[in-house]
Amino acid sequence: MEKIKKITLSEDEIPRHWYNIVADMVNKPLPPLHPGTLEPIGPEALAPLFPMELIKQEVTQEKFIEIPEEVREVYKIWRPTPMFRAYNLEKALDTPAKIYYKYEGVSPAGSHKPNTAVPQAYYNMKEGIKKISTETGAGQWGSALSFACQFFGIECEVFMVKVSYEGKPYRKIMMNTWGATVHASPSNLTNAGRQILAQDPNSPGSLGIAISEAVEVAAMNEDTKYALGSVLNHVLMHQTIIGEESRIQMEKAGDYPDIIIAPFGGGSNFAGITFPFLRDKLEGTRNVRAIAVEPTSCPKLTRGQFRYDFGDTIGMTPLIPMYTLGHNFVPSPIHAGGLRYHGAGAIVSQLLNDKIIEATAINQIECFKAGVLFARTEGIIPAPEANHAIAEVIRQANICKEEGSSKTILFNLCGHGNFDMGSYEQFFAGKLVDFEVTAQQIEASLAELNTPTIG
Ligand SMILES: *Cc1c(COP(=O)(O)O)cnc(C)c1O
């Protein structure tokens, strides 16, 4: 029989619903708290930052949410995305495991991020918003939102973490091409930025700092809202389109994953590919292992604490129940910029606490080795974030080899690395170093928190 390499779907197979895993969770995620009163916050507290429809989606218990027709129309530019069987990688690893990957790098912005950027821009437009402010780490989210805002006539202002702004000038130009304004963060345009610069004029920035700046701009301006590219419940839900498509593709391949692997920043691409399969696990019909992979330099899932913490650095957001390293934690400047975030979303944190999902941390040199092997076998050059998933896939494939078991592994190739040549250049020059966070660093960062603990 002829081998099928690429499992494709037709346009009318683009899912019509997102999946809300909260509906199936036995232990629901804990509510966000007001940082002053420590009471659960109501929708009105989020109203200055987000349009009402997204706030509703943030708290809904409904199992499936319909994808608006206008959003599906924009999705058609790159969706459905292909799934591939990694025959060449399997052969190179000499593993009995079957390896599949879902490729989200075919979006115009080059990652999974437009899956949520498009509906977020759409709901803002529906509620008459003129401008969206946001932050971006590696530049992926800023690009995705810039791209999405175009379709709905919304202005986009992006605060880009300085280390990326300087290291990835073409990401900035990409955002400019889609009409967005981009600032290096910390900037002197906001109180939050000025405060950080006063402490450290050479601050490389962090996602947390950039979030503070973008939130401040939205809070100060009536016609401006804020958008987040990860962490929040509605963001994770929009990403489930990845897993919903993957379910159909796996079925077409006549297979079902034993293990699903995805890199982990705030949890959105991980949630996107795993939640629709975890539905079967929560309903008790199938068992699947879902493994989140984080960098050793920012190990909130494997070494952080499950407690309430701020989503940003300054402490402007509600308190979120999360696995966190502390909102003041500034991770080393590794090349997977999208994974340098101090906390994890409330849903994924609860699932990890309940042992429904697993997590592991891998050093960046092992990740880049894995990414280069992938590029040389499967052809696509992965984003440094995606290399984390590939490194874990290789570990699991090697375990299969030792055990002589033929597991089915699915992973999320959440973006391409075509704008990340600088990091590959450093890897080839032997200049990448592995960062191990010490226990003292983590303890010191957590000791600064005076937010409520859990359990
Ligand atoms: C943003 C990003 C990530 C990390 O964010 P998640 O919300 O955890 O998915 C990972 N990979 C790529 C390519 C990204 O752009």
Side-chain angles (χ1 to χ4, degrees), residues 17-152:
H17 295 87
W18 294 298
Y19 169 54
N20 175 26
I21 197 170
V22 175
D24 289 325
M25 287 167 69
V26 176
N27 296 329
K28 305 294 181 197
L30 298 167
L33 303 181
H34 186 282
T37 64
L38 301 184
E39 293 295 320
I41 54 162
E44 66 292 341
L46 294 171
L49 293 185
F50 302 102
M52 226 42 224
E53 181 57 33
L54 291 176
I55 295 172
K56 272 194 226 155
Q57 291 182 4
E58 189 63 21
V59 297
T60 185
Q61 305 264 334
E62 247 175 83
K63 187 157 172 166
F64 294 101
I65 304 292
E66 195 177 339
I67 303 175
E69 206 41 53
E70 294 91 328
V71 171
R72 282 186 84 247
E73 284 305 314
V74 181
Y75 275 170
K76 285 177 186 172
I77 294 173
W78 76 98
R79 305 211 72 86
T81 63
M83 178 181 284
F84 297 92
R85 172 86 183 265
Y87 289 111
N88 300 331
L89 179 64
E90 289 170 19
K91 201 168 155 207
L93 296 172
D94 188 27
T95 176
K98 289 188 271 182
I99 302 172
Y100 293 86
Y101 54 98
K102 177 75 163 161
Y103 185 38
E104 289 292 307
V106 293
S107 81
S111 77
H112 63 287
K113 297 263 182 8
N115 296 333
T116 184
V118 173
Q120 289 197 51
Y122 168 78
Y123 292 121
N124 273 284
M125 177 275 291
K126 288 292 267 188
E127 296 181 30
I129 297 309
K130 299 282 178 275
K131 180 164 131 180
I132 300 178
S133 65
T134 198
E135 76 290 337
T136 195
Q140 294 272 20
W141 170 240
S143 317
L145 193 67
S146 308
F147 160 80
C149 282
Q150 291 298 284
F151 295 101
F152 305 109

Side-chain angles (χ1 to χ4, degrees), residues 235-415:
V235 178
L236 272 54
M237 188 184 72
H238 297 154
Q239 293 295 352
T240 59
I241 190 152
I242 303 172
E244 291 298 335
E245 284 180 7
S246 298
R247 283 178 65 105
I248 310 172
Q249 285 160 311
M250 283 264 95
E251 206 178 309
K252 284 198 179 182
D255 237 325
Y256 190 91
D258 297 299
I259 304 174
I260 310 176
I261 296 168
F264 195 101
S268 78
N269 89 86
F270 171 79
I273 194 159
T274 60
F275 285 5
F277 290 98
L278 288 174
R279 177 160 81 237
D280 296 340
K281 182 167 177 159
L282 294 173
E283 288 174 348
T285 56
R286 289 275 199 169
N287 201 4
V288 59
R289 288 178 66 195
I291 307 176
V293 191
E294 61 186 5
T296 47
S297 56
C298 194
K300 63 249 177 184
L301 298 174
T302 52
R303 297 174 68 195
Q305 191 181 3
F306 185 43
R307 66 177 295 162
Y308 276 98
D309 195 7
F310 292 101
D312 67 327
T313 298
I314 301 287
M316 293 174 72
T317 68
L319 292 169
I320 302 170
M322 49 162 57
Y323 274 87
T324 181
L325 294 165
H327 62 273
N328 290 325
F329 184 83
V330 179
S332 307
I334 55 155
H335 291 282
L339 308 185
R340 296 176 71 238
Y341 181 67
H342 68 269
I347 297 175
V348 276
S349 292
Q350 188 64 50
L351 292 170
L352 181 65
N353 197 54
D354 292 344
K355 301 193 166 52
I356 291 163
I357 62 169
E358 303 166 44
T360 189
I362 304 185
N363 258 314
Q364 66 173 349
I365 293 179
E366 179 177 342
C367 293
F368 270 85
K369 278 187 190 148
V372 170
L373 176 65
F374 187 83
R376 290 179 185 176
T377 50
E378 293 295 316
I380 300 167
I381 301 177
E385 291 85 357
N387 287 345
H388 288 71
I390 299 169
E392 177 63 19
V393 167
I394 293 173
R395 287 183 178 187
Q396 292 295 335
N398 287 338
I399 292 173
C400 285
K401 186 177 173 181
E402 284 159 25
E403 292 177 345
S405 69
S406 158
K407 296 229 167 69
T408 298
I409 302 171
L410 168 65
F411 80 92
N412 201 12
L413 185 55
C414 53

